[in-house]
């Protein structure tokens, strides 16, 4: 699974198959009309992600990888939760 979205939270790479260690996707839609414009991962770790929304909204992004350009809210069980707006 590349993305899971529910309750205003988008989780990146929650359950990648072992043979998908590196990859790139474009144009996935998540709940809340969020466009995952691009998601790139290497060795099962998020390298970069670009999200877009036509509406002004705040969502939470959950990732096992620390992201450089996102506002960290907290770390829970080795995963990072970010606010994105």
């Amino acid at each position: 699974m590349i993305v899971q979205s529910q309750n205003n939270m988008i989780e990146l790479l929650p359950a990648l198959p072992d043979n998908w260690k590196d990859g790139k996707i474009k144009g996935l839609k998540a709940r809340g009309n969020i466009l995952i414009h691009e998601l790139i991962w290497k060795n099962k770790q998020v390298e970069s992600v670009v999200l877009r929304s036509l509406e002004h909204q705040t969502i939470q992004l959950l990732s096992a990888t620390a992201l450089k350009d996102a506002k960290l809210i907290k770390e829970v069980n080795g995963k990072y939760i970010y606010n994105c707006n």
Side-chain angles (χ1 to χ4, degrees):
M1 182 184 324
I2 296 172
V3 173
Q4 181 177 15
S5 60
Q6 60 186 5
N7 303 326
N8 291 332
M9 182 175 288
I10 297 174
E11 183 172 5
L12 303 174
L13 309 179
L16 276 180
D18 287 337
N19 58 341
W20 289 11
K21 290 182 181 177
D22 300 331
K24 174 179 171 178
I25 57 101
K26 289 185 174 190
L28 284 183
K29 275 281 183 125
R31 288 187 184 174
N33 205 22
I34 304 293
L35 174 65
I36 301 167
H37 181 71
E38 184 175 73
L39 172 60
I40 299 170
W41 66 93
K42 292 186 181 172
N43 201 26
K44 293 190 166 187
Q45 300 291 310
V46 175
E47 286 283 310
S48 68
V49 61
V50 177
L51 304 177
R52 295 202 171 131
S53 175
L54 296 177
E55 307 168 27
H56 179 71
Q57 59 182 312
T58 299
I59 60 156
Q60 291 187 335
L61 189 61
L62 179 62
S63 173
T65 307
L67 304 175
K68 296 176 186 175
D69 296 325
K71 182 181 177 187
L72 180 65
I73 299 174
K74 61 184 171 182
E75 183 181 349
V76 177
N77 297 327
K79 293 192 177 182
Y80 302 93
I81 300 175
Y82 300 91
N83 256 358
C84 301
N85 52 4

